[in-house]
Amino acid sequence: MTNATGKPLVVALMGPTASGKTAAALAIARAIPSEIVSVDSALVYRGMDIGTAKPSAAELASAPHHLIDILDPAESYSAMQFRQDALRLIAEIQARGNLPLLVGGTMLYFKALRDGLDDLPQADPALRARLDAEAAEIGSPAMHTKLAALDPATAARLQPNDAQRIQRALEIIELTGQPMSALLLNKPKAELPFATLPIALEPSDRGVLHARIATRFDAMLDDRNHDLITEVEQLRKRGDLHLGLPSMRCVGYRQAWEYLDGAYNRKELREKGIAATRQLAKRQLTWLRSMPERQIIDCLDADAATQILQKIEELR
């Protein structure tokens, strides 16, 4: 499937959590021979099904899926690994004559695929440990103020509580003597061998999305057969997992882990889990607003999938 550019078409279906991406992707796959490439940093992990809202067995069987259940929760997966895997899978899917559907809400992965990877220095363990200690002493907002004095452009796009990215930006300054913003400014844009149709499922009413988030989190807690707490209990029993791992820092899993540690009661678990998911959705929507080329579909429209199909057909 090629478009007017002569390049094969790839559809990127993006959106915040609970925006209906899975349902829309499966509707597209029923209408057009497609294969779905997950763009989700949580769905890569095996044994993490409830809290990630992983597609059901029936949904997974209804269309070919990729990059789901490929890692153990003790492992990590980077944007670099995603880009390598996605480029390989896209070429293989196109060779089979199918449409690659990139579907998910990990916006960093979409950005890595679109723009390429930053040529930034590797982490320095000793320096990172020192920055971690400093952050523990003075707090993330103070670290953000420090970054603002050294690299105002990078600080402006980071929240004061985004400890991980703030410390990474400070680490780069110490390692290179240059601000991250200057290094990224000189990075050449990646050339991709395909044309991308970026479609964003976004809510016209944020309150309705918040209600969806609450309903879905309640369902995760109330499943009689296997709820989120049971899932995290089983993961804890392994003995090799901890909150320092990317898998256990996923929204819902961190809160359930802390609940099992006795940090708060079930009502507080629900409140904290829903709040964390809403914050995730807010960050995802902020990322989307930085992509002016995206085509927006209201995820609250009953015919959202039909609208997406129409946009795809216009480029076929």
Side-chain angles (χ1 to χ4, degrees):
M1 183 184 296
T2 60
N3 71 351
T5 68
K7 291 183 176 181
L9 181 66
V10 171
V11 174
L13 183 57
M14 309 172 286
T17 185
S19 59
K21 297 182 294 294
T22 296
L26 293 175
I28 294 167
R30 286 193 293 270
I32 301 171
S34 309
E35 298 185 37
I36 295 169
V37 179
S38 171
V39 188
D40 190 301
S41 60
L43 292 186
V44 296
Y45 294 113
R46 294 185 291 270
M48 293 174 57
D49 303 331
I50 305 300
T52 61
K54 191 170 290 178
S56 67
E59 289 171 331
L60 291 172
S62 67
H65 285 71
H66 305 276
L67 300 186
I68 294 178
D69 289 340
I70 61 171
L71 289 182
D72 183 86
E75 299 175 293
S76 60
Y77 191 66
S78 68
M80 178 184 294
Q81 289 171 294
F82 168 78
R83 188 173 198 273
Q84 293 170 342
D85 287 341
L87 289 172
R88 172 181 54 80
L89 287 165
I90 287 168
E92 292 172 356
I93 293 167
Q94 290 170 335
R96 289 190 284 269
N98 294 330
L99 172 68
L101 277 177
L102 306 180
V103 183
T106 301
M107 303 305 165
L108 178 62
Y109 287 3
F110 280 116
K111 184 177 186 299
L113 181 63
R114 181 192 65 182
D115 297 339
L117 295 159
D118 303 325
D119 187 19
L120 298 175
Q122 294 293 314
D124 181 295
L127 175 56
R128 182 156 293 185
R130 178 164 61 78
L131 290 169
D132 285 343
E134 184 179 357
E137 181 179 350
I138 68 174
S140 184
M143 297 291 278
H144 184 265
T145 300
K146 179 179 177 180
L147 177 63
L150 299 170
D151 185 355
T154 298
R157 64 179 179 82
L158 298 179
Q159 296 297 317
N161 62 352
D162 194 346
Q164 186 175 354
R165 291 188 176 89
I166 291 168
Q167 287 162 241
R168 173 59 174 158
L170 289 168
E171 178 184 52
I172 287 168
I173 292 169
E174 292 211 29
L175 289 173
T176 66
Q178 298 182 68
M180 180 190 289
S181 55
L183 294 172
L184 297 183
L185 191 63
N186 298 322
K187 181 175 69 70
K189 189 170 180 62
E191 283 294 330
L192 295 172
F194 49 80
T196 304
L197 172 60
I199 296 176
L201 284 170
E202 301 180 28
S204 55
D205 184 339
R206 193 80 64 92
V208 176
L209 182 70
H210 290 170
R212 282 189 184 181
I213 288 170
T215 298
R216 191 166 76 170
F217 197 80
D218 283 339
M220 291 177 183
L221 292 178
D222 295 337
D223 189 307
R224 292 182 180 181
N225 297 318
H226 187 67
D227 64 13
L228 175 60
I229 295 171
T230 303
E231 185 170 75
V232 176
E233 281 177 331
Q234 293 176 350
L235 291 166
R236 283 164 62 100
K237 287 177 183 177
R238 291 178 32 156
D240 63 336
L241 302 179
H242 54 83
L243 284 180
L245 292 168
S247 60
M248 295 300 102
R249 291 200 300 267
C250 290
V251 168
Y253 289 87
R254 174 189 287 276
Q255 289 75 28
W257 189 290
E258 291 171 342
Y259 163 79
L260 291 169
D261 278 341
Y264 30 76
N265 60 37
R266 190 180 178 92
K267 180 175 181 290
E268 291 168 329
L269 163 62
R270 177 185 181 274
E271 292 171 350
K272 290 180 180 293
I274 290 172
T277 310
R278 286 175 60 168
Q279 284 297 313
L280 171 61
K282 182 179 179 181
R283 292 194 299 272
Q284 290 168 319
L285 288 166
T286 299
W287 268 98
L288 286 169
R289 285 197 296 271
S290 72
M291 300 177 178
E293 72 278 13
R294 76 196 189 283
Q295 299 196 34
I296 301 172
I297 301 289
D298 185 357
C299 67
L300 306 182
D301 283 353
D303 66 343
T306 301
Q307 294 179 50
I308 296 170
L309 280 166
Q310 288 173 346
K311 290 185 178 295
I312 295 171
E313 291 295 345
E314 288 170 5
L315 294 178
R316 293 180 71 180

